[in-house]
Amino acid sequence: MIAIHNFDNAAEFVTKVAADHLSLPYSEKEFYSPLDALQKYFRQELGKELPLAKEIIELHRNRNRVQHGGTVPSIDTVQRFKDATEQFFSEIVTTIFKVSYEEIYLSMLVENDELKSKILEAEKALEQGQYQECVRLCDGAFIVATFDIGDIVSKAGVLTAYWGAGTELRNLIEEEFIQETYGNTDYGGLANEIGKALLQLGQASTSMQFLDEYRVGFLRHRELIDSLSNLSEKELSSGAQASLDFVTNIILKWQEEGLLRTNSS
């Protein structure tokens, strides 16, 4: 039942996006309106019928039966509309957007070229069954996003200083103050180490806020990194997908929030 809904949503989404891209007029309130507009475009501009349009209409009818009548589709029905939706989607993105269906990756949404390249490598590794490599590539992308392109730790330090750090804390993490106050005493080395530890503690505690709803995803990713050599093929497969989802989503989140540089330079 969920699959039928997902297929219908995918078909509707790509149809509307294509119609908008071509500036075709249609009614937002009528499901079949953008499909009709796209069918007309294919006939008049391309000289052919929109492939599988009748199947997409039948898919929507099945979706209505599932949603409003509680009908449970058979496995054969699900497979039928899976194939139809995939072919319909592929035809539109290839014909209208000039992009091969096989080359569509979520990494295309990442604006920073270095991060996009790293996520794409991880996506391809997952496709090829190289699960450990996929996880390692995801971890590399996350590290670069956190410490380089996003510099999340330094931004966390700014938050710590602004919202919670009083004069005492600022003094104890300031190297100049430590040297002037404790540099010529027996406690100079200890004061320097304590200052660094306090700075790291403040940054670490504030950095977690940048994860928001992805905290659990981060923990699972780190657990996976630490146990790669002890997992079965099935566990590696699901773990690699989870890591890829986490890293891609957190990078897109930080990108939307303006925390990442668009370019690596």
Side-chain angles (χ1 to χ4, degrees), residues 27-86:
S27 171
E28 288 278 359
K29 297 181 180 180
E30 298 178 20
F31 172 82
Y32 298 110
S33 183
L35 184 64
D36 291 340
L38 204 57
Q39 282 183 295
K40 184 177 180 181
Y41 173 83
F42 266 71
R43 293 189 189 111
Q44 295 181 349
E45 302 298 329
L46 304 180
K48 63 178 183 179
E49 292 293 319
L50 175 62
L52 296 164
K54 292 182 179 179
E55 277 289 86
I56 297 305
I57 292 173
E58 187 59 32
L59 165 63
H60 189 63
R61 290 170 179 163
N62 271 261
R63 197 274 296 180
N64 287 338
R65 286 194 284 269
V66 167
Q67 181 174 354
H68 303 297
T71 302
V72 180
S74 68
I75 294 299
D76 289 341
T77 298
V78 172
Q79 186 62 50
R80 167 191 170 185
F81 288 120
K82 174 183 181 298
D83 294 341
T85 305
E86 188 170 30

Side-chain angles (χ1 to χ4, degrees), residues 179-191:
Q179 289 301 317
E180 289 179 356
T181 308
Y182 303 103
N184 296 322
T185 71
D186 295 338
Y187 306 107
L190 177 61

Side-chain angles (χ1 to χ4, degrees), residues 43-171:
R43 293 189 189 111
Q44 295 181 349
E45 302 298 329
L46 304 180
K48 63 178 183 179
E49 292 293 319
L50 175 62
L52 296 164
K54 292 182 179 179
E55 277 289 86
I56 297 305
I57 292 173
E58 187 59 32
L59 165 63
H60 189 63
R61 290 170 179 163
N62 271 261
R63 197 274 296 180
N64 287 338
R65 286 194 284 269
V66 167
Q67 181 174 354
H68 303 297
T71 302
V72 180
S74 68
I75 294 299
D76 289 341
T77 298
V78 172
Q79 186 62 50
R80 167 191 170 185
F81 288 120
K82 174 183 181 298
D83 294 341
T85 305
E86 188 170 30
Q87 293 176 42
F88 179 78
F89 197 101
S90 177
E91 177 69 27
I92 290 180
V93 297
T94 302
T95 303
I96 305 300
F97 298 105
K98 312 302 180 184
V99 177
S100 169
Y101 176 69
E102 290 73 20
E103 294 176 351
I104 296 178
Y105 293 96
L106 195 57
S107 56
M108 294 173 70
L109 298 177
V110 178
E111 295 175 356
N112 181 275
D113 292 336
E114 182 178 356
L115 289 178
K116 179 185 294 185
S117 175
K118 290 180 180 296
I119 295 298
L120 180 59
E121 286 185 62
E123 289 170 329
K124 291 184 176 180
L126 181 66
E127 278 189 354
Q128 296 165 6
Q130 300 172 357
Y131 303 126
Q132 290 194 22
E133 180 64 11
C134 172
V135 174
R136 293 191 182 99
L137 288 166
C138 287
D139 198 46
F142 181 67
I143 289 172
V144 169
T146 302
F147 296 100
D148 181 13
I149 295 171
D151 198 12
I152 301 300
V153 174
S154 291
K155 291 180 174 67
V158 173
L159 288 177
T160 300
Y162 187 83
W163 292 109
T167 303
E168 297 84 0
L169 179 58
R170 286 197 294 271
N171 285 341

